[in-house]
Amino acid sequence: MFGLVKKLFGGQHEEKTCEVSDTILGKLKLSEEGWWEASVTLGAKSVGFKIGGKKEPDANLIAHAKDIVKTFAEFEKMVAEFLVQEAKRLKPFAHEIQQLAIEDVMLLWPKRPNDGMIYFSGVDKFRVWRCDYVDRKPRGLGFDD
């Protein structure tokens, strides 16, 4: 009730939250691009998460990101097996694909909470490797350069 009164008489702007905390993902900060960013240290690795949501990160996307963190060893194994198969398919890039590491998991679409994209770090700083992540499975490795 007080919020409505404040909005009516105390000014028309709405305060925008720029940071939220989560017990598993840590601090999520609103990026200039409009998604929420977190970086999670898993063993010796740091993995970035980009989460969709308007005023706050979408709850279903947060739950998906938490699932990945909680089962990261299995997630990483699944992605590694995918990369082995993709190296066979993309033979000219096999050596490079074998050196890819998960850098960011993007879960941006609240209406598709089990889909996203995975970005990889690699040896070629000018080549951005990524794959679709559909129904919680990696698909279609490719790159932009």
Side-chain angles (χ1 to χ4, degrees):
M1 180 68 176
F2 179 70
L4 178 61
V5 172
K6 184 177 177 183
K7 199 171 190 178
L8 291 172
F9 299 105
Q12 296 299 315
H13 73 282
E14 223 176 281
E15 287 188 37
K16 194 173 193 178
T17 303
C18 294
E19 185 176 290
V20 296
S21 291
D22 181 82
T23 56
I24 294 173
L25 300 175
K27 288 184 180 181
L28 291 104
K29 295 181 180 181
L30 184 61
S31 72
E32 289 181 16
E33 293 84 1
W35 56 61
W36 296 85
E37 297 181 340
S39 182
V40 179
T41 302
L42 299 159
K45 301 175 188 192
S46 180
V47 176
F49 286 88
K50 314 292 194 248
I51 309 290
K54 300 275 185 198
K55 294 180 183 179
E56 61 186 30
D58 180 79
N60 290 324
L61 299 176
I62 287 285
H64 186 163
K66 287 180 177 184
D67 289 346
I68 291 171
V69 170
K70 290 176 187 175
T71 62
F72 189 73
E74 292 88 3
F75 178 80
E76 189 174 40
K77 182 180 179 203
M78 174 186 67
V79 171
E81 290 169 355
F82 163 76
L83 291 174
V84 166
Q85 295 306 311
E86 292 297 282
K88 291 176 186 175
R89 184 178 68 85
L90 301 166
K91 287 182 178 147
F93 301 100
H95 181 70
E96 190 173 342
I97 292 170
Q98 292 166 354
Q99 298 179 61
L100 296 178
I102 299 167
E103 184 173 27
D104 286 307
V105 177
M106 300 186 81
L107 304 170
L108 299 178
W109 307 294
K111 292 183 180 179
R112 295 173 39 208
N114 290 317
D115 298 343
M117 293 189 78
I118 301 171
Y119 282 82
F120 300 93
S121 58
V123 295
D124 186 332
K125 65 180 181 179
F126 298 108
R127 201 178 328 264
V128 178
W129 286 93
R130 40 91 190 121
C131 71
D132 293 327
Y133 179 59
V134 180
D135 200 23
R136 296 189 178 218
K137 303 243 187 293
R139 302 273 186 264
L141 183 66
F143 63 82
D144 300 311
D145 58 358

